[in-house]
Amino acid sequence: MSAPNPASTGLFINGQRETGQDVRVGNVTAALAVANIVKTSLGPVGLDKMLVDDIGDVLITNDGATILKSLEVEHPAARVLVDLANLQDQEVGDGTTSVVIIASELLRRGNDLVKNGIHPTTIISGYRSALKAAVSYIKKQMVVNVSELGDEHLINAAKTSMSSKIIGKEMDFFSKLAVDAVKSVKMNATAADIAGLEAMGESSDAAVAAAAAAAGKKQRYKYPLSAIHILKAHGKSALESNLIDGGFAINAMRAAQGMPTFVESSDGKPVKIAMLDMNLQRHRMGMGVQVIVKDPAEIENIKKREMDITKERIRKIIDAGARVVLTTKGVDDLCMKYFVEAGIICARRCNREDLKRLAKATGGRVVTTMADMEGNETFDGDCLGGCDSAREVRIGDGEMLYVYGCKGHGASTIVLRGANEYMLDEMDRALHDSLCVVKRMLESNTLVPGGGAAEAALSVYLDDYAHTIQSREQMVIQEYADALLVIPKTLAVNAAKDASELVAKLRSAHAKGQHSEDVADDGLKFMGLDLLDGTIRDNLAAGVVEPAISKIKSLRFATEAAITILRIDDRITLNDTKMS
């Protein structure tokens, strides 16, 4: 359908206008192009992408959000999918590729329905009904409540998350590392945190009711991932990576060789750490300040006073009890001399974000100025953090400062080792996804089987549900059910298996499980794909699991994104006013 002549309608637009089916086809084509980029990276045998930017920097990854974030997508509808992947990454941390694939398939099928004469409003309404039924079915039938999660379920979820990543071969080692790291930052949840968890729908209705009943009796916990510091160091193999439980590593070294390499607590008193965001250099007059002297001897006195001001500052820090001093700015030779004489470890040019994390971990504060309300200079001892010991350790090509036994909130550091920068970056991204999955599992206590099991079960259920609808939405819900099968199909294709045969077997097993009254067939709802052997199996028993929130949120986000794009039936591209 072409746009009417603007002059005949009395509507003058300084630009171009597309309407109706033209704009819808354009939007769907752009969305499918984006989805096809990440499609081959889905699953445990997915392939990697190499992205080269304009200055030649190389990025090798198969993380959906990272791939889409690195692309310069100009089409406005395609950008919706890029934002969708970022949203899934922020909210859940995993499932970014699958959410984009589901959204694009819903769009493709929605566009076909429009071509067959179904109105977009009916499609949007049908998609919403299908989503509501799907989420309800997951919560009632697919979710497995694990009241006291054992490490086994957490490790299985972490393995499932990292199976498609570069560290998939060493998943046993890294899954244990991820679970230990998340558990080490356990904190008591406040009432606001608990309300937030329940509002997000992370638990089933029954679990929420149980949590509300037990709110007064049972303490809930939260696991802030910001307290887990990931440090990358070249050299050695990936299996040499390690977790410093209750400790912190910072990429910094001693400012002078005369300083000690190790300080530890004595007489039961912790080692105090000063974290500064200011220069520790010889005091200089401000710009534009002129000092006119008549006696040349006064010049020496001025220089001496400048040195004394610096010495007084250092003395105040030392008198407060600091034995380790870290600053984001510089430290000159004069200050270093005082620190060496006092036997203090001092490091300069530290990363400000790392210092903020260390301050939280040790119970201290980052000090930006020593000036107090009266205009004098003082150093408050309460700003100092505490730890059991601090040591400079040689890692790879450089040195790092390790802080053990932090006295503040839970903190831990993962030191990743690897051959080169590309490998370390991809390991970091893979580990971040796994940490997010473990955190979600611990906070929500619910899991669902992976490997296409949930999608196949929903497809069969929604197909039956569609027959109960007596309006045009029936066709839409059937298309929604078929669209969900894109996940098991893509998984099978990426694994070089016969997708049609495997998906048919999977649907058959789930249909039998849902329609049979035999209790023995109840376990068939957990059947999913085994991509290594090319068969179907009970994925819950095989340990292929993921957080329930990941599945529910990916369905919600994908459906909303598809609806957002299907709503559009008019696009006006305005001309640049400067050009005109």
Side-chain angles (χ1 to χ4, degrees):
M1 175 180 171
S2 59
N5 183 9
S8 64
T9 60
L11 178 67
F12 291 93
I13 299 171
N14 183 24
Q16 296 172 322
R17 183 182 179 198
E18 278 183 276
T19 59
Q21 192 58 22
D22 291 347
V23 71
R24 208 169 277 116
V25 169
N27 288 346
V28 172
T29 306
L32 285 170
V34 168
N36 287 336
I37 293 170
V38 295
K39 212 169 203 178
T40 54
S41 67
L42 181 72
V45 277
L47 304 176
D48 287 1
K49 309 289 177 192
M50 179 187 279
L51 305 164
V52 186
D53 66 10
D54 50 357
I55 59 170
D57 279 351
V58 177
L59 176 69
I60 301 171
T61 182
N62 76 349
D63 180 53
T66 308
I67 294 167
L68 296 180
K69 213 182 291 179
S70 307
L71 298 176
E72 290 184 13
V73 179
E74 290 184 2
H75 197 284
R79 273 209 298 267
V80 171
L81 288 197
V82 177
D83 295 340
L84 170 69
N86 289 336
L87 181 65
Q88 177 79 2
D89 197 37
Q90 289 165 16
E91 287 284 319
V92 184
D94 197 25
T96 50
T97 307
S98 54
V99 76
V100 170
I101 293 172
I102 293 172
S104 67
E105 186 68 12
L106 288 173
L107 273 174
R108 187 177 70 78
R109 290 177 179 272
N111 192 42
D112 290 345
L113 285 169
V114 173
K115 286 179 182 174
N116 291 335
I118 307 292
H119 196 278
T121 306
T122 307
I123 297 170
I124 289 167
S125 174
Y127 277 0
R128 289 228 163 98
S129 302
L131 172 66
K132 192 174 178 183
V135 171
S136 173
Y137 181 79
I138 288 178
K139 286 182 175 179
K140 286 176 183 169
Q141 299 292 332
M142 299 295 295
V143 164
V144 179
N145 279 316
V146 190
S147 52
E148 294 298 327
L149 279 174
D151 276 7
E152 182 192 350
H153 294 292
L154 296 171
I155 288 171
N156 284 338
K159 281 183 183 177
T160 305
S161 167
M162 62 179 68
S163 61
S164 61
K165 305 289 194 288
I166 195 170
I167 54 179
K169 297 293 181 197
E170 287 90 27
M171 65 169 78
D172 291 335
F173 172 78
F174 280 103
S175 56
K176 183 82 170 66
L177 191 75
V179 171
D180 290 345
V182 176
K183 283 192 162 184
S184 69
V185 295
K186 181 178 181 179
M187 289 172 65
N188 289 345
T190 61
D193 295 323
I194 293 170
L197 289 176
E198 289 167 4
M200 285 169 72
E202 292 189 357
S203 310
S204 65
D205 297 338
V208 169
K217 306 171 193 171
K218 191 178 172 188
Q219 176 65 53
R220 294 281 290 269
Y221 299 99
K222 63 176 182 175
Y223 302 83
L225 292 188
S226 58
I228 301 172
H229 184 43
I230 297 179
L231 213 52
K232 296 174 280 194
H234 290 177
K236 295 195 175 181
S237 82
L239 292 175
E240 303 272 345
S241 304
N242 64 301
L243 169 70
I244 311 169
D245 192 358
F248 202 91
I250 192 165
N251 203 356
M253 57 185 287
R254 293 172 301 152
Q257 291 300 312
M259 292 173 182
T261 58
F262 176 67
V263 290
E264 61 181 342
S265 57
S266 56
D267 302 329
K269 293 179 182 175
V271 173
K272 295 288 187 181
I273 305 175
M275 290 147 286
L276 313 174
D277 187 13
M278 58 186 187
N279 267 317
L280 287 180
Q281 292 175 337
R282 182 171 161 179
H283 182 80
R284 289 184 177 85
M285 290 291 180
M287 290 289 288
V289 176
Q290 284 186 321
V291 180
I292 299 170
V293 291
K294 294 177 180 176
D295 185 357
E298 290 297 315
I299 296 173
E300 285 304 314
N301 290 338
I302 290 170
K303 285 183 179 177
K304 189 171 183 302
R305 180 62 194 142
E306 283 180 348
M307 291 169 69
D308 286 347
I309 289 171
T310 305
K311 187 175 181 180
E312 285 166 14
R313 279 185 181 169
I314 304 295
R315 179 51 53 198
K316 281 166 186 163
I317 295 171
I318 295 170
D319 289 346
R323 296 182 62 192
V324 179
V325 178
L326 308 172
T327 179
T328 58
K329 306 265 172 68
V331 180
D332 66 7
D333 294 342
L334 180 66
C335 296
M336 255 183 253
K337 171 175 170 282
Y338 300 129
F339 286 133
V340 170
E341 286 171 356
I344 286 174
I345 295 179
C346 175
R348 55 188 168 183
R349 313 276 178 222
C350 300
N351 184 295
R352 185 182 278 104
E353 289 303 315
D354 289 354
L355 275 199
K356 284 181 181 174
R357 276 205 186 115
L358 180 60
K360 197 172 177 183
T362 56
R365 290 199 301 275
V366 178
V367 179
T368 53
T369 178
M370 290 175 67
D372 60 14
M373 299 297 284
E374 281 75 39
N376 302 318
E377 288 199 334
T378 55
F379 191 84
D380 186 0
D382 293 340
C383 296
L384 297 173
C387 68
D388 290 339
S389 62
R391 179 192 294 272
E392 187 185 73
V393 180
R394 184 164 186 81
I395 302 279
D397 300 332
E399 282 82 20
M400 287 184 188
L401 209 56
Y402 276 38
V403 178
Y404 300 99
C406 296
K407 301 296 182 190
H409 295 299
S412 58
T413 302
I414 297 173
V415 180
L416 292 178
R417 308 303 306 273
N420 53 42
E421 199 70 41
Y422 310 127
M423 185 176 174
L424 284 170
D425 286 344
E426 183 62 2
M427 284 167 66
D428 185 5
R429 285 187 287 269
L431 201 58
H432 171 263
D433 285 3
S434 296
L435 291 172
C436 288
V437 165
V438 174
K439 167 192 162 78
R440 291 296 180 195
M441 291 259 306
L442 281 167
E443 287 179 349
S444 66
N445 281 356
T446 53
L447 56 86
V448 292
E455 287 82 4
L458 285 175
S459 175
V460 173
Y461 170 73
L462 289 175
D463 225 2
D464 294 339
Y465 172 72
H467 295 306
T468 65
I469 306 295
Q470 297 179 0
S471 66
R472 285 186 173 196
E473 286 183 16
Q474 183 184 104
M475 292 172 65
V476 180
I477 294 170
Q478 283 175 331
E479 289 293 329
Y480 191 101
D482 289 345
L484 292 178
L485 290 176
V486 73
I487 295 295
K489 278 179 187 169
T490 307
L491 287 171
V493 168
N494 289 351
K497 307 295 180 196
D498 187 340
S500 304
E501 187 181 337
L502 271 180
V503 172
K505 282 182 182 175
L506 196 56
R507 272 180 64 91
S508 169
H510 280 280
K512 186 181 176 186
Q514 288 181 28
H515 299 148
S516 171
E517 294 181 4
D518 189 351
V519 181
D521 292 335
D522 197 40
L524 290 174
K525 64 183 177 186
F526 300 130
M527 296 298 279
L529 299 176
D530 178 0
L531 296 173
L532 298 179
D533 297 334
T535 58
I536 62 171
R537 64 176 177 193
D538 184 340
N539 271 353
L540 188 65
V544 181
V545 293
E546 49 191 314
I549 180 184
S550 173
K551 198 60 69 184
I552 291 169
K553 279 194 178 288
S554 66
L555 280 176
R556 279 191 176 138
F557 292 157
T559 308
E560 285 301 325
I563 287 172
T564 302
I565 295 173
L566 282 173
R567 270 180 190 279
I568 300 165
D569 76 331
D570 210 331
R571 187 173 77 197
I572 299 168
T573 310
L574 298 177
N575 291 333
D576 191 342
T577 50
K578 291 177 185 172
M579 296 286 289
S580 59

